[in-house]
Amino acid sequence: MAAAARLDLDGNPIKPMTICLIGAGGFIGSHLCEKLMAETPHTVLAVDVYNDKIKHLLDPPPPPPPADGGQQARNPWDGRIEFHRLNIKHDSRLEGLIKMSDVTINLAAICTPADYNTRPLDTIYSNFIDALPVVRYCSENNKRLIHFSTCEVYGKTLGSYLPKDHPLRKESEFYVLKEDASPCIFGSVEKQRWSYACAKQLIERLIYAEGAENGLEFTIVRPFNWIGPRMDFIPGIDGPSEGVPRVLACFSNNLLRREPLKLVDGGQSQRTFVYIKDAIEAVLLMIENPARANGHIFNVGNPNNEVTIKQLAEIMVQVYSKVSGEPPLEAATIDVSSKQFYGEGYDDSDKRIPDMTIINKQLGWNPKTSLWDLLDSTLAYQHRTYAEAVRMAMVKPVASS
């Protein structure tokens, strides 16, 4: 019996489409590729410089044992995902891939806070200049674009400018971030931490203008701290020894090495965290419901999972003890200044709570996974994947000079 046709939110059959996925080899891209291969008939043109995180989708299946007649097993997605190794900065093949596709998704970015201070030029070029050809090719060839921005475009909240004991600080309009109403407030130019947010905001404005003036069909995604397996890297294991990944991988690295977790400026900033698998559900809804997603900017986060960074560290210590079987560290955290950790030019926002009205109304999406559960799943993966490699790295003899 034939499988029932997949339907969109309005009850219309979903036709198979070709998706040009730029940044397919990264954290978000790899999870999206898995989702598309497992649950849809769509074809993915996977564009990236690296493919380590999607190799399991690209490699042929292992040969069958002799007893089954020697027939080669086939991946269920065989022929539906192609990897194209290219850098979107300077590769003439990019326009051809966009022309071949029904929708282009742009995930390419430098998006690690440690880079905003130390590599502000690279950050601005990566997030604005390098994205310009993608927008232009989509607009000129009448192709739909789903562009990944960031919750950083909101910058600081209005409430952060009020005195700490001001009653208005408790009013949601001073800290809940709305796509169509909240202002974007950044620190001074000397605070190079905002190089990322400004570049992302400017490309958003350009995409919006292309839609208004030239009819570009677009959707802009503002992720609010998506976390899960394969996020970032563990320094010295599957990334540079001097590298500083984002907070989840930083804390994971400390836990794996049984070191205190470093809290920048006491870890008082507040954030919300959403599980990658919940967030990818939202992206699939955008892909398959263009009539509801085009022309919209969507916050994608989980306002129920709000904690300070200090609270996040404390929960991670407990969860890691559970998944690893090791006792929690007695001195679990230490405070460091932002200047020590990130260098000159760092600045931060106080709170980031997404308003979910638009995505709920347009796509009916709500996150499901609690903070404890998403950390349990993620840290179990981190321990399974890295614990032995970290242990071996730590016991290597140091060469004498």
Side-chain angles (χ1 to χ4, degrees), residues 7 19 29 32 56 72-73 157 196 226 229 248 275-276 286 288 292 376 389 395:
L7 303 176
I19 299 164
L32 183 53
H56 60 294
Q72 175 74 21
T157 66
Y196 173 66
W226 298 10
L248 180 113
Y275 191 37
I276 183 66
M286 295 175 209
E288 296 190 329
R292 290 172 175 248
D376 187 278
V395 299

Side-chain angles (χ1 to χ4, degrees), residues 212-273:
E213 292 193 30
N214 296 323
L216 172 67
E217 292 186 346
F218 72 87
T219 303
I220 291 170
V221 186
R222 289 179 181 163
F224 279 71
N225 300 298
W226 298 10
I227 60 177
R230 299 196 294 270
M231 182 178 181
D232 280 1
F233 59 93
I234 298 300
I237 304 299
D238 64 348
S241 297
E242 309 77 37
V244 181
R246 284 168 288 186
V247 66
L248 180 113
C250 268
F251 285 172
S252 295
N253 184 49
N254 296 141
L255 290 166
L256 287 159
R257 297 174 187 275
R258 295 195 63 76
E259 301 168 345
L261 282 61
K262 293 179 179 177
L263 299 178
V264 175
D265 295 336
Q268 294 308 303
S269 296
Q270 291 170 270
R271 295 291 184 268
T272 59
F273 296 90

Side-chain angles (χ1 to χ4, degrees), residues 47-171:
V47 176
D48 211 321
V49 178
Y50 305 106
N51 65 8
D52 300 11
K53 293 179 181 179
I54 55 170
K55 273 187 79 64
H56 60 294
L57 300 175
L58 303 171
D59 288 344
D68 76 351
Q71 290 235 335
Q72 175 74 21
R74 285 173 64 86
N75 283 329
W77 52 82
D78 201 25
R80 287 201 297 114
I81 182 165
E82 300 174 3
F83 180 65
H84 297 265
R85 191 183 302 277
L86 62 90
N87 188 323
I88 63 169
K89 284 183 188 177
H90 41 62
D91 200 306
S92 57
R93 293 173 291 171
L94 181 61
E95 184 173 15
L97 294 172
I98 289 173
K99 281 182 176 180
M100 290 165 59
S101 305
D102 300 294
V103 58
T104 293
I105 302 174
N106 189 11
L107 288 158
I110 288 177
C111 53
T112 304
D115 290 324
Y116 309 159
N117 281 1
T118 57
R119 300 168 58 202
L121 283 176
D122 285 345
T123 299
I124 292 166
Y125 272 76
S126 169
N127 292 293
F128 180 66
I129 304 296
D130 296 349
L132 289 174
V134 178
V135 180
R136 188 174 77 249
Y137 295 150
C138 287
S139 186
E140 290 174 353
N141 293 288
N142 297 313
K143 298 295 182 178
R144 187 172 165 229
L145 172 64
I146 298 176
H147 184 84
F148 272 68
S149 185
T150 173
C151 60
E152 292 240 347
V153 297
Y154 292 108
K156 297 169 178 276
T157 66
L158 284 168
S160 70
Y161 288 91
L162 297 170
K164 289 203 182 299
D165 57 352
H166 199 290
L168 285 178
R169 269 184 175 259
K170 296 188 174 118
E171 298 291 328

Side-chain angles (χ1 to χ4, degrees), residues 334-347:
I334 56 170
D335 289 356
V336 297
S337 72
S338 55
K339 184 176 178 181
Q340 281 176 289
F341 195 80
Y342 289 119
E344 289 284 357
Y346 187 76
D347 197 11

Side-chain angles (χ1 to χ4, degrees), residues 305 315-316 318-319 322 369-377:
N305 287 346
I315 296 169
M316 286 180 68
Q318 296 303 315
V319 174
K322 170 185 172 281
T369 310
S370 70
L371 183 62
W372 179 278
D373 286 346
L374 70 86
L375 289 174
D376 187 278
S377 170

